[in-house]
Amino acid sequence: MLGALISNAYAQSTSESDKTAAKENVDKVTVTGYRSSLALSAHEKRENIGLSDTVFSEDMGKFPDPNIADALSRVPGVTVTRASIDGEGMNVSIRGMGPAFTRVLLNGAPMASASAGSWGGTISANREVDMDFLPSELFRSATVYKSQQASVIEGGIAGTVDMRSVRPFDKAGFRSAFTLSGNYRDKDKKPGTTGSALISNTWNTSRFGKFGILGGVAWGMTKYRTDAFDTVDMRNLQLKSFQANASDKPNSTGGGSQSTPDKVPAGLPLNLLPDYARSVLVPGATIDRAMLLALNPGATIQQIDNGLMGRLGRHQVFEGKRRRAGEVISVQWQPNEDWNLYFDTVFAQKRNEMEWQAMNVGTRANTPIPIGMEFDRSDCTIGCVITKATLANTFWGLEYRPDIDKTKFRSLNPGFEWRPSDKWTIDGAFNYTLSKFSRDMPQVKVATMAAPSVITYDNTTPGQPPTFTGNLNPNDPSNFGWYQAGQGMSGLVMDLYERSNSTRGTRLNVKWGDDDFSIKVGGTYDDIERRYRSYTVADAWANVTCGNNLNYTFFGPNTQIQNPGCDGRYAPGPMTNAATAYPGYGTGSSAGQTTPLAYLGSLVPNGALANYLQPTDHGFITLDWNKFAKDTNYQYFRDNIYKGFFSGSGGYIREAVGGVYTETNGRLNVYGRTLRFNAGVRYARTRQTIGDLAATADPRNATLQNGGLYPSVGTWSYETVTYHNLLPSATLAYNITPNMIARLAASKSMTRANPADLRQTRLSIGDQGARQGSITNPDLKPFQANNLDFGLEYYMSRDSYVALGAFGKDIVDRPGTHIVQYSLAQLNQIYGTVGLTAAQQQSVDASGGPDKHLVEITEPYNIATKLKIRGVELTWQQALDMLPVKGFGFTGNFTYTRQMDETPNAPPVSGVPPRTNNLTVYYERNGVNLRVTRQYQASTVVNVNTGLTVPGGAYAYSTGRQQVDLSAGMNLQKVFGFGYNTDLTLSVWNVNNAISQTYTQFNGAVFNQNIPGRSFTLSLRSTF
């Protein structure tokens, strides 16, 4: 069946020589399974005018990889962003540009996912589309368009991915497929299950024409565990004004956030420190320039100031389970030869329950006292790496977080195609998607005391993250308490994030002509809306747990916890300052309350905290969450969490885009060969509305005071701008010989700015040292690129070809960030008084006040200079039927990319790997199949905003990574004569146990490492 299908398609070439050669090639071998998907991909690539690649399912419900992102990783020029914990493919990048530069379509229409990865990391907040919640069993194909065409929806500078769900007319008649799989990960050593069921049928009737319906479900439950090392980032100590002279040129590389105390604290265990340090560390003495040099013999102030060390280095354990389910229903009706109607629905949902445990080394602001520091180089003008140090006054801190992520996705897509005559075709479609995401994220943080703690820092092993050891055992519950509230490392966090993305759209296309010449015009309208909210009542929860437990629970905007906050006090008694602290108590929201305010003592004081902590086999304590949540009445506060929000805790962006286009397609006979062409122009008008949330006072609060205030009211403010883009494109495809095709494409493309950066102007300072902050920029323009693509392809048979491609992109107005240094006093003047935490205020005071405290502010902006991206792609797909043993073959590709900027030292675009390559070797014959795949990505810039400012940039890089996967299976019917068409397959993911690492500026500054381990899946699939 497949051989006949491809043979017929190939026979439609224009010239007789083309037809003959294609026919000769097609009739040689009949292919099935994985090789059939390669043959369909080769055919699709050959027939398309532009530069594209398509991945097809091997059969109904049998995609080559577990999710679409992983399948697309086999396409040349495509790289996959993988979840840090389990390594599963999340989203895709084309030719090195980040996922936000790739436009993702579902059945030809835009989609926007509100989702997150399989871990507790960054929520998918921009234009990237996470694909891990979409089961691959529900899809027929995924096409990557690398060159632009006017009829393809705009929005992807890098390219466009169009995922097509399964439909009943994909294959006539009744068919069904059922799959049941068991999976096992060697990290958690626990089994999981996945499965799918699809049923399809078509009917031909003389009265109603052809009708088909397909329904399917896919589900899965996977358990995982990953050990990781991580730091918030790599930072230096950024010495204070009294710790360096002007001649030292202090703070020349930026990047603070961790710093020493102003004075030596009491209680240091001097007996654990070097002899030369004991006489120097006199309690109350100022830690000035002379003391730092005395504590670090042989070091210079420049080294002490600029040496990089992991901030909040931590060993982490991620453990959890992920449940996914997807459903598809597709109806097609062809009442006659002129009409074709369809209705596609795709539903998906995911629930991820994850326990995150991390033991931090408390290198916070005003905390560590460095002793005996060693460095990887003597000249630290532009930075260096600290290789050894003893850190006095540095605590251990546990962060425990039980996350629950929920994702729901719904898509409805009705459409039609009408052919009123041989030369006229009219098609149209409507689309609606709704995606909702929530993350429920309580967090408990406990720590040791700082003064009695000494931690040894060792970063001398090349290619490995640093290690930390200390005199206090981090696996002993008795060492921990609510001791570091001022540093933000003791206390409670309670966050609920909710995000909703929706798309509504319609498209209509009218085509006149035939294969030799046609004109196509069309219009689209898409309304894409994103809104998010975050909520917290953490202080109210902390009040009863560790804040001495005031007998009445106040929610914001009332003061929820009294100073000194969550310190684990147990001091029952009357609140002596109740009249001044809560003058509104008994009125408004607390009306009817007559019981005098009093403290009941913390529910979990320092003396009882050890009862909730447990030692573990991974070297540090954990928390008995169920017991802790019950005894602190967590559910009550979770039920009231919607009362807690603040200005800036919500965002909104809506883009209503109207587009029209015209293009012409055709073919000519030039020197006896076929020349195909496509040329057109697309016009898009975008009406962009940005919204910001402000927490405004309830009108009733005008006459009320603290203690009686009603919850704040959320008020949205909106700004709207309109802009236009004109995007021309042209493509040529010429048959040099019947089996050799040359392609040339030129186009202009655009990508709109990231929604997270487009928020109304808002300043935020997050680090505890109050040294770094960021500001949004609502005036960001779309990013634009001029593109030139060239391709040369030679086809040896239906599933064998060699292709060479070269591409160039000139990008203007691309996203960038610049760092400007202000004093805090200047920021207060520009943006209003900046709210600071207790630890941040302490850091400001240590600097000598707001006018002397310097803050580096990062702001997104459009880089006006031109960034040039140049690259080449090589693909070789070969069936080795010439060998004595039939059934072998391989497919491989290599991509090289280079960035050049008009401005020296301009930041590159992050996420553009200079080299990637993939190789798959397969055997498929007589019911037996074997496939080995290797994927490689070279070291890549992953972040240009590290907070470090040095000539040429101090960027964060991922290390080179290669991963090997294996799949082996057999068809039981063909091999053993089993009565049903049943496949048994064993797949091993990450056979070589590849790890992921990132480092900052220098190879020795590794700040992140994840070891996801191997995954084993045994699948049984049967078709009827």
Side-chain angles (χ1 to χ4, degrees):
M1 175 68 75
L2 178 63
L5 172 66
I6 299 178
S7 177
N8 289 337
Y10 270 56
Q12 294 174 4
S13 300
T14 302
S15 67
E16 291 302 318
S17 59
D18 291 352
K19 292 179 182 179
T20 302
K23 179 70 176 174
E24 290 174 354
N25 282 333
V26 169
D27 288 342
K28 290 181 181 178
V29 181
T30 300
V31 296
T32 59
Y34 176 69
R35 187 169 170 182
S36 74
S37 72
L38 295 180
L40 284 172
S41 299
H43 173 255
E44 189 78 5
K45 183 179 182 71
R46 182 171 185 166
E47 292 302 302
N48 281 342
I49 293 180
L51 285 88
S52 66
D53 291 276
T54 302
V55 179
F56 283 91
S57 62
E58 300 176 29
D59 197 355
M60 185 173 73
K62 190 180 181 182
F63 223 68
D65 294 275
N67 74 39
I68 292 181
D70 283 321
L72 288 173
S73 68
R74 298 191 283 114
V75 172
V78 173
T79 55
V80 174
T81 302
R82 298 189 177 276
S84 298
I85 290 178
D86 58 11
E88 186 174 14
M90 288 283 300
N91 42 53
V92 299
S93 303
I94 300 175
R95 288 175 170 172
M97 305 293 290
F101 295 94
T102 298
R103 190 65 187 264
V104 178
L105 309 178
L106 176 59
N107 293 321
M111 66 174 292
S113 67
S115 58
S118 57
W119 64 295
T122 303
I123 299 171
S124 176
N126 293 314
R127 302 190 186 278
E128 66 272 17
V129 173
D130 289 345
M131 299 178 179
D132 66 318
F133 66 89
L134 296 172
S136 64
E137 297 93 330
L138 307 184
F139 289 86
R140 169 58 174 158
S141 65
T143 299
V144 178
Y145 296 99
K146 299 175 184 177
S147 59
Q148 305 292 320
Q149 292 184 12
S151 56
V152 176
I153 294 174
E154 82 290 337
I157 279 183
T160 302
V161 175
D162 190 4
M163 303 178 294
R164 212 270 269 170
S165 58
V166 289
R167 288 176 176 165
F169 287 2
D170 289 341
K171 188 175 181 181
F174 177 83
R175 56 200 178 111
S176 62
F178 301 91
T179 303
L180 183 63
S181 304
N183 57 71
Y184 174 85
R185 304 183 72 91
D186 62 3
K187 279 292 183 179
D188 67 327
K189 297 178 171 58
K190 296 177 182 177
T193 57
T194 60
S196 65
L198 289 94
I199 299 176
S200 175
N201 201 3
T202 61
W203 297 268
N204 284 304
T205 67
S206 58
R207 182 175 181 182
F208 297 105
K210 186 177 180 182
F211 179 79
I213 185 169
L214 179 148
V217 296
W219 68 91
M221 190 278 287
T222 302
K223 297 179 181 179
Y224 58 85
R225 171 177 168 152
T226 295
D227 293 301
F229 172 82
D230 179 58
T231 72
V232 175
D233 44 32
M234 297 297 291
R235 297 287 185 170
N236 53 45
L237 288 171
Q238 199 173 49
L239 301 183
K240 300 174 182 178
S241 58
F242 55 86
Q243 293 177 327
N245 298 329
S247 59
D248 296 322
K249 299 180 180 179
N251 307 151
S252 60
T253 61
S257 294
Q258 51 194 3
S259 59
T260 71
D262 293 352
K263 298 183 182 298
V264 178
L268 297 179
L270 298 178
N271 62 307
L272 300 178
L273 302 178
D275 291 340
Y276 61 81
R278 298 175 186 175
S279 59
V280 176
L281 293 171
V282 178
T286 299
I287 304 178
D288 56 13
R289 184 179 188 275
M291 181 181 289
L292 287 174
L293 290 173
L295 291 174
N296 297 278
T300 65
I301 286 295
Q302 183 190 75
Q303 288 176 314
I304 298 171
D305 189 30
N306 290 345
L308 293 178
M309 178 175 68
R311 179 167 72 98
L312 283 183
R314 54 196 176 195
H315 175 205
Q316 304 174 92
V317 176
F318 300 88
E319 189 169 7
K321 58 184 177 182
R322 180 180 57 244
R323 293 185 175 92
R324 287 180 289 193
E327 303 86 27
V328 61
I329 297 176
S330 179
V331 178
Q332 285 183 279
W333 180 34
Q334 189 175 347
N336 53 52
E337 293 183 354
D338 299 332
W339 281 92
N340 188 5
L341 299 94
Y342 61 88
F343 195 128
D344 298 319
T345 65
V346 177
F347 291 0
Q349 43 276 325
K350 180 179 73 170
R351 179 185 175 96
N352 186 43
E353 300 175 14
M354 187 197 70
E355 182 183 60
W356 176 60
Q357 307 162 72
M359 182 55 67
N360 296 269
V361 176
T363 51
R364 284 285 208 181
N366 305 305
T367 304
I369 302 176
I371 302 169
M373 298 172 76
E374 298 180 14
F375 306 87
D376 68 338
R377 67 201 69 197
S378 58
D379 184 0
C380 290
T381 304
I382 61 170
C384 54
V385 180
I386 300 172
T387 56
K388 281 188 176 181
T390 298
L391 304 173
N393 195 52
T394 303
F395 57 87
W396 295 106
L398 171 74
E399 290 184 87
Y400 176 90
R401 190 170 75 204
D403 285 5
I404 298 178
D405 288 359
K406 299 177 183 178
T407 301
K408 290 184 178 181
F409 177 80
R410 304 288 183 262
S411 171
L412 306 176
N413 181 215
F416 72 92
E417 183 180 285
W418 178 38
R419 296 175 296 277
S421 69
D422 290 342
K423 287 199 172 185
W424 285 94
T425 302
I426 302 172
D427 67 87
F430 301 91
N431 66 280
Y432 171 77
T433 68
L434 176 63
S435 181
K436 291 187 175 182
F437 170 82
S438 68
R439 170 172 291 162
D440 207 343
M441 194 172 70
Q443 186 172 339
V444 180
K445 298 189 286 187
V446 297
T448 67
M449 292 183 179
S453 176
V454 177
I455 290 178
T456 301
Y457 177 85
D458 190 323
N459 189 23
T460 56
T461 305
Q464 293 296 317
T467 60
F468 301 86
T469 56
N471 63 315
L472 298 182
N473 182 4
N475 210 18
D476 183 352
S478 65
N479 286 328
F480 291 81
W482 308 104
Y483 300 135
Q484 299 295 338
Q487 288 288 3
M489 290 305 297
S490 290
L492 302 176
V493 178
M494 179 189 288
D495 290 318
L496 174 65
Y497 299 99
E498 294 183 337
R499 184 178 298 276
S500 176
N501 292 355
S502 66
T503 66
R504 301 171 182 84
T506 183
R507 54 213 78 254
L508 181 68
N509 306 294
V510 179
K511 176 185 173 182
W512 176 87
D514 52 26
D515 290 342
D516 291 330
F517 180 79
S518 65
I519 296 176
K520 189 176 182 181
V521 297
T524 61
Y525 178 78
D526 291 295
D527 189 346
I528 303 175
E529 188 175 41
R530 299 174 172 89
R531 188 186 298 272
Y532 80 90
R533 294 287 303 268
S534 63
Y535 306 89
T536 180
V537 290
D539 283 349
W541 183 31
N543 165 62
V544 303
T545 303
C546 50
N548 209 21
N549 191 10
L550 194 62
N551 63 341
Y552 182 82
T553 298
F554 292 100
F555 292 103
N558 301 292
T559 302
Q560 299 176 76
I561 188 172
Q562 291 292 308
N563 285 330
C566 176
D567 63 352
R569 286 165 291 152
Y570 188 82
M575 184 179 188
T576 57
N577 63 336
T580 55
Y582 293 103
Y585 177 64
T587 66
S589 63
S590 60
Q593 297 295 322
T594 58
T595 304
L597 292 175
Y599 292 108
L600 305 178
S602 299
L603 292 178
V604 185
N606 285 319
L609 181 59
N611 298 328
Y612 299 89
L613 304 175
Q614 302 169 343
T616 67
D617 61 359
H618 47 252
F620 60 86
I621 60 168
T622 190
L623 178 78
D624 185 339
W625 167 248
N626 291 332
K627 180 181 179 182
F628 184 88
K630 179 182 178 181
D631 290 355
T632 60
N633 203 14
Y634 165 75
Q635 190 59 48
Y636 168 78
F637 296 99
R638 174 60 181 81
D639 292 342
N640 285 275
I641 198 168
Y642 290 102
K643 295 179 179 179
F645 63 92
F646 50 88
S647 295
S649 63
Y652 172 88
I653 182 170
R654 179 182 181 185
E655 292 168 331
V657 183
V660 294
Y661 75 90
T662 180
E663 69 176 23
T664 180
N665 292 273
R667 59 189 183 187
L668 302 170
N669 191 298
V670 178
Y671 298 111
R673 301 296 182 191
T674 301
L675 173 67
R676 291 175 289 161
F677 62 87
N678 168 277
V681 62
R682 185 177 190 89
Y683 168 81
R685 176 184 182 272
T686 304
R687 188 173 188 269
Q688 190 176 72
T689 301
I690 301 170
D692 188 60
L693 178 70
T696 58
D698 187 302
R700 294 173 291 179
N701 291 346
T703 59
L704 298 173
Q705 300 182 73
N706 190 30
L709 301 174
Y710 289 99
S712 298
V713 177
T715 303
W716 290 90
S717 58
Y718 300 95
E719 297 178 3
T720 299
V721 297
T722 301
Y723 55 85
H724 312 261
N725 295 94
L726 194 65
L727 306 170
S729 61
T731 305
L732 298 174
Y734 181 65
N735 278 74
I736 300 175
T737 70
N739 294 312
M740 180 178 289
I741 302 174
R743 305 181 195 270
L744 182 66
S747 63
K748 185 176 182 179
S749 58
M750 55 86 75
T751 291
R752 298 172 179 90
N754 282 333
D757 295 331
L758 279 170
R759 295 174 58 190
Q760 293 182 359
T761 303
R762 184 171 296 278
L763 172 70
S764 60
I765 299 177
D767 76 286
Q768 292 301 299
R771 292 289 187 182
Q772 278 85 35
S774 62
I775 190 168
T776 55
N777 183 355
D779 298 321
L780 291 175
K781 297 182 292 185
F783 322 134
Q784 301 183 71
N786 293 321
N787 314 290
L788 185 64
D789 297 89
F790 170 77
L792 185 63
E793 303 154 12
Y794 180 72
Y795 293 84
M796 290 82 78
S797 66
R798 74 160 62 87
D799 55 356
S800 300
Y801 70 91
V802 177
L804 174 66
F807 59 90
K809 293 181 180 293
D810 290 351
I811 303 175
V812 296
D813 292 331
R814 73 185 188 277
T817 56
H818 51 204
I819 299 175
V820 181
Q821 192 173 73
Y822 299 89
S823 70
L824 183 60
Q826 290 174 314
L827 292 176
N828 288 336
Q829 184 177 6
I830 299 171
Y831 301 106
T833 302
V834 179
L836 301 175
T837 66
Q840 288 173 332
Q841 187 61 57
Q842 183 182 2
S843 179
V844 172
D845 294 341
S847 300
D851 58 328
K852 295 182 180 179
H853 185 84
L854 301 179
V855 186
E856 293 174 344
I857 299 298
T858 301
E859 180 180 7
Y861 73 110
N862 291 106
I863 301 176
T865 58
K866 184 182 296 183
L867 175 69
K868 298 179 180 181
I869 297 180
R870 303 290 185 263
V872 294
E873 295 172 349
L874 176 64
T875 304
W876 188 359
Q877 182 172 299
Q878 181 69 59
L880 300 175
D881 296 320
M882 72 291 294
L883 297 179
V885 179
K886 307 296 183 182
F888 284 99
F890 67 86
T891 176
N893 59 71
F894 170 83
T895 303
Y896 170 80
T897 307
R898 182 185 178 190
Q899 298 187 52
M900 300 169 287
D901 198 283
E902 292 180 336
T903 303
N905 298 325
V909 173
S910 60
V912 181
R915 295 179 308 282
T916 61
N917 60 73
N918 304 290
L919 176 64
T920 298
V921 178
Y922 66 87
Y923 172 81
E924 189 173 71
R925 188 172 177 84
N926 298 326
V928 177
N929 65 81
L930 177 67
R931 192 160 73 238
V932 180
T933 300
R934 173 190 178 272
Q935 299 177 2
Y936 171 77
Q937 179 174 305
S939 178
T940 305
V941 175
V942 294
N943 182 17
V944 298
N945 183 27
T946 61
L948 300 170
T949 54
V950 301
Y955 308 133
Y957 299 81
S958 65
T959 57
R961 185 181 188 274
Q962 67 173 357
Q963 177 175 313
V964 177
D965 302 328
L966 170 68
S967 175
M970 65 176 66
N971 183 280
L972 301 183
Q973 187 179 57
K974 293 182 179 180
V975 175
F976 298 111
F978 188 65
Y980 300 98
N981 185 20
T982 302
D983 294 303
L984 181 66
T985 304
L986 173 66
S987 301
V988 185
W989 176 86
N990 197 18
V991 175
N992 59 324
N993 205 21
I995 65 175
S996 301
Q997 280 188 343
T998 50
Y999 63 91
T1000 298
Q1001 190 177 4
F1002 306 105
N1003 290 332
V1006 175
F1007 70 89
N1008 178 278
Q1009 177 174 283
N1010 286 282
I1011 308 175
R1014 302 177 183 88
S1015 176
F1016 304 83
T1017 301
L1018 184 64
S1019 299
L1020 192 67
R1021 180 179 183 274
S1022 189
T1023 60
F1024 302 93

